[in-house]
Amino acid sequence: MRKFAFALARVTALSAIFSLVSALPAAAAFRLLSAHEPTIADLHAAMRAKELTCRQLVQMYLDRIEAYDRKGPALNAIVMVNPNALNAADALDARFAQSGPVGPLHCVPVIVKDNFDTVDMPTSAGSLSLKGSMAPRDAFQVRKLREAGALVLAKSNMAEFARSPFETVNSLIPGHTRNPYALDRVPAGSSGGTAAAVAASFGAAGLGTDTGNSIRGPSSHTSLVGIRSTMGLTSRAGIVPLFLNRDIGGPMARTVADVVAIFDVIAGSDPADQATAQERRPASYLSSLDKDGLKGARIGVLRQMVAGPDSDAEVMQLFEQALADMKRQGAEIVDAVQVPEIDQIPASGFACDRFKHDLDAYLAELGSQAPMKSLEQIIASQKFHPSLLKLLLDSQAEPPLELNTRCQVYAENGRRLGQGLLKAMDDAQLDTLVYPTWNNPPRLIGDLNTPHGNNSNRLSPPTGFPALTVPMGFSRGTLPAGLQLLGRPWSEPTLFRIAYSYEQATRHRRPPASTPPLP
């Protein structure tokens, strides 16, 4: 019955969406399409009004990639464009003409991080050692996107093996990925390529991965929305792992509604990922898009993640303004919530390097065609960025996972921290906890010494709790900043509701000047 209700809700939601957009006059749909940053709903409206074909849409994004990724601002965000993109678009157009949209993401061009397996393009995780590696099947999330009608447009650049939260650089392609809002600054890591590409409108939305920061950090640095979901709600199957006990894949987009549209498709159990066996999700997340969602919401301010001697004054001002904006929309702001475990458990208590174990297992799944069989072979090949040498050697030296006492300590500290967070939220009857995604603006490219202000790795990965970032404005006039919402396990509908209400009330998102509309 649950599966039937789920399928029925999907069909009902899809019918409602396309009934709405089909009623729009052609001129209105054309005006929607002419916007620099059309949403998924805008694109579907234009298709229904017959002002846009899937091929035209895909060609528009391909033109932008051609103009801005290696040329012009040279964002360096794309590893490879799907050579079958236009053929796939033609097939979607043919099916649309015959029977209507394939699914709720019909012809939504998606940018996919280079650590998601795709059967039609190599998956290298940004490493020369895995160049040309072809997976036998799509990652679960990629497969779900295609089944919903989405089109995988390109693979995006990433920090090699997702090892850096601070910059996006690797051995596969030369140079750093640039932040489209400030070309001399980073889009963070490791999903910086997806972030820069989506922010610059190289695609309608994207997929990234988050082991500590790498969906929320790059999203914050490029004025995007991104979510790290509850551990066990989205499948990790077919994603090149960093630390499998922390890895999450998920959407990054320019609006909350677009993130929810993607998330509604990819969330759910997968027999290939045992962590998802107990997943709990509603029939649809689309009902979370409530403009009045802040009314009566109890928002806890986690000052332990805000104040500090290195926090940037302008980012702190943006955060205080965000609190005022939420209060003005009817939220109850509960200030200075204290979670003792945050101060009691040192950062070293969350160290668990299982990269060798998890990567070797992934490479074994590739079978005889795998270009490398183990981390040991990768190190011997020397086909990786020099900055990774110590990290890889340290990972290789780790004891077997079952004997790794630091991983056992990590698990226990994660449970303890989660209990502390739940107690604080329950005692104050909170819907969410809030703090800046970063306490500092994006760093200059090459700068790894000034304060980074990364708040994303401290709470959500160790506990497995969901966390979402939404734009909260710009410091220095042009440098994006993000507001992070942390929730209880399985509380994604609450996070979406609050984030959407805040986004609709503030409208902080604006496109980067470095990648304007093409003539």
Side-chain angles (χ1 to χ4, degrees), residues 439-454:
N439 286 340
N440 297 79
R443 283 169 161 173
L444 293 169
I445 290 174
D447 174 16
L448 294 176
N449 297 312
T450 59
H452 54 77
N454 175 21

Side-chain angles (χ1 to χ4, degrees), residues 95-298:
R95 292 183 65 180
F96 186 86
Q98 182 178 25
S99 56
V102 170
L105 298 181
H106 180 85
C107 190
V108 174
V110 179
I111 306 294
V112 174
K113 188 176 178 179
D114 191 29
N115 57 352
F116 283 83
D117 284 347
T118 48
V119 294
D120 47 1
M121 287 179 284
T123 301
S124 70
S127 182
L128 194 60
S129 66
L130 298 184
K131 182 178 181 180
S133 178
M134 296 299 296
R137 62 191 65 87
D138 280 335
F140 177 84
Q141 294 189 29
V142 172
R143 176 168 64 83
K144 298 298 284 185
L145 288 178
R146 294 197 212 257
E147 289 173 353
L151 187 151
V152 177
L153 184 63
K155 300 293 282 285
S156 56
N157 203 16
M158 59 180 285
E160 190 160 357
F161 291 118
R163 296 297 305 234
S164 174
F166 303 123
E167 59 182 358
T168 302
V169 63
N170 58 51
S171 62
L172 189 67
I173 60 176
H176 290 71
T177 296
R178 301 171 185 267
N179 190 320
Y181 287 91
L183 299 176
D184 58 349
R185 294 183 182 263
V186 297
S190 63
S191 307
T194 300
V198 175
S201 293
F202 290 176
L207 287 182
T209 61
D210 190 312
T211 306
N213 156 87
S214 298
I215 287 175
R216 295 160 293 154
S219 294
S220 173
H221 273 5
T222 56
S223 197
L224 298 179
V225 180
I227 183 170
R228 175 191 169 88
S229 58
T230 303
M231 178 61 75
L233 181 53
T234 52
S235 173
R236 302 159 298 172
I239 299 175
V240 183
L242 175 50
F243 306 138
L244 200 58
N245 61 331
R246 298 168 62 114
D247 292 344
I248 290 285
M252 305 163 68
R254 295 182 290 269
T255 67
V256 176
D258 284 356
V259 160
V260 173
I262 299 290
F263 193 79
D264 201 48
V265 165
I266 65 172
S269 60
D270 173 17
D273 185 353
Q274 293 182 353
T276 66
Q278 303 300 319
E279 62 87 6
R280 305 202 309 262
R281 60 156 293 164
S284 176
Y285 289 96
L286 298 175
S287 60
S288 302
L289 301 176
D290 179 4
K291 288 199 296 184
D292 296 323
L294 277 167
K295 288 183 178 179
R298 289 181 59 82

Side-chain angles (χ1 to χ4, degrees), residues 390-408:
K390 185 179 185 307
L391 289 173
L392 299 185
L393 290 173
D394 288 348
S395 294
Q396 179 64 23
E398 286 288 324
L401 188 58
E402 63 272 14
L403 301 177
N404 194 323
T405 56
R406 290 199 301 169
C407 290
Q408 297 166 14

Side-chain angles (χ1 to χ4, degrees), residues 67-101:
Y68 294 136
D69 191 57
R70 294 291 187 269
K71 303 173 184 176
L75 297 184
N76 208 32
I78 300 298
V79 171
M80 179 183 184
V81 168
N82 189 340
N84 298 315
L86 289 173
N87 289 337
D90 289 340
L92 286 167
D93 278 334
R95 292 183 65 180
F96 186 86
Q98 182 178 25
S99 56

Side-chain angles (χ1 to χ4, degrees), residues 15-16 27 61 66 86 92 115 160 193 204 283 289 334 337 349 354 363 366 379 383 389 398 402 438 496 507 510:
S15 299
Y61 284 128
E66 172 66 21
L86 289 173
L92 286 167
N115 57 352
E160 190 160 357
L289 301 176
V334 182
V337 174
R354 49 182 290 167
L363 294 174
L366 294 179
I379 294 172
K383 294 180 178 180
L389 179 59
E398 286 288 324
E402 63 272 14
W438 294 82
F496 289 143
R507 302 282 186 172
R510 65 173 185 255

